[in-house]
Amino acid sequence: IMAAGTYSKGNGEADSVITLSQSNVTILGTHDLSIGPSNISTFIDGTGATTWTTGIKIYGSNVTIKNLSITNFSSYGIHISELSGNEILNCKVHDNNTGIEITYSSNCTVQHCEIYNNAYGLNINLCTTGVEIFSNSIHGNELDGGGVGVGAYNCSPEIKRNKIYDNNAGIRVEAYGSNIASPEISNNVIYETIPSKMNYGILIYGSGGTVKPTI
């Protein structure tokens, strides 16, 4: 359980990535229930770091990250790689290069998060089964010429009940090589609040692979 406050190089944290290689761990930040369930008061901030370029790397299974704000990392806010059963719940992930990156993983959930003002919001790449992106707010992800809210690359996640707005592309589905991308995209609201902010609601792109989403 992490106390309220800002964890950063400037506040004495080591300039190195927080790496979780142990399984069956929950990291729980603090939020003020008297104000509202989403009022997070535990911040992991990459400002001023040089080697701490990813906020949290998860290399364990059945890891839960909840009630954290993760910001200002030049690579990833959260990076999940090669394992199963991980959850990101009720987090704010913003002003990073990529907010959340999930690769080579299965049975992962991102739920009730706000992912915003990153170059790329949430990327899922070469994952297997059971990845669910559910009830998130994903917006304003277009820093540094990026602009994808949710990217499903060479995999088939479930993308459901999200608010996705003011990204260059709301959802991008792509497969290359011999890979298949067949996500289920349902009950999302994809829109812009600023005229001409979005070029694509859902962009389906094949570059050698098989792309067949269900919308």
Side-chain angles (χ1 to χ4, degrees):
I1 299 175
M2 297 180 68
T6 298
Y7 297 81
S8 66
K9 180 183 176 184
N11 283 339
E13 298 299 322
D15 190 2
S16 58
V17 177
I18 299 171
T19 301
L20 298 177
S21 55
Q22 182 174 336
S23 296
N24 304 305
V25 174
T26 295
I27 294 185
L28 183 64
T30 303
H31 65 297
D32 189 343
L33 289 173
S34 67
I35 298 174
S38 64
N39 192 65
I40 295 168
S41 52
T42 303
F43 305 91
I44 298 177
D45 191 334
T47 300
T50 55
T51 59
W52 188 10
T53 60
T54 293
I56 299 177
K57 287 186 178 181
I58 300 174
Y59 294 133
S61 292
N62 303 312
V63 172
T64 297
I65 306 293
K66 187 175 182 179
N67 299 337
L68 295 179
S69 177
I70 301 175
T71 186
N72 293 320
F73 289 96
S74 60
S75 293
Y76 308 105
I78 300 172
H79 188 194
I80 299 173
S81 182
E82 300 187 37
L83 289 156
S84 177
N86 296 306
E87 298 179 308
I88 303 171
L89 307 175
N90 195 44
C91 289
K92 292 186 177 182
V93 186
H94 61 97
D95 294 284
N96 307 285
N97 181 268
T98 299
I100 300 172
E101 179 89 7
I102 304 173
T103 55
Y104 298 105
S105 297
S106 63
N107 301 315
C108 293
T109 301
V110 179
Q111 187 170 0
H112 300 309
C113 292
E114 186 176 10
I115 304 166
Y116 63 101
N117 291 356
N118 306 283
Y120 302 90
L122 168 59
N123 288 334
I124 312 109
N125 191 8
L126 291 165
C127 292
T128 53
T129 60
V131 176
E132 186 175 80
I133 312 303
F134 184 79
S135 291
N136 302 284
S137 177
I138 302 169
H139 60 92
N141 295 289
E142 61 168 6
L143 301 179
D144 301 322
V148 178
V150 180
Y153 304 105
N154 310 299
C155 60
S156 304
E158 295 183 12
I159 304 169
K160 297 182 176 182
R161 296 185 179 276
N162 302 284
K163 289 198 305 182
I164 302 172
Y165 63 95
D166 291 346
N167 311 280
N168 178 50
I171 298 173
R172 182 182 177 109
V173 181
E174 182 176 352
Y176 45 84
S178 59
N179 294 295
I180 298 172
S182 57
E184 181 182 341
I185 301 170
S186 61
N187 294 316
N188 301 282
V189 183
I190 303 172
Y191 61 101
E192 63 181 13
T193 65
I194 302 170
S196 302
K197 192 74 169 179
M198 297 184 69
N199 285 316
Y200 309 98
I202 300 174
L203 174 62
I204 301 168
Y205 183 79
S207 52
T210 301
V211 183
K212 50 178 184 179
T214 299
I215 303 172

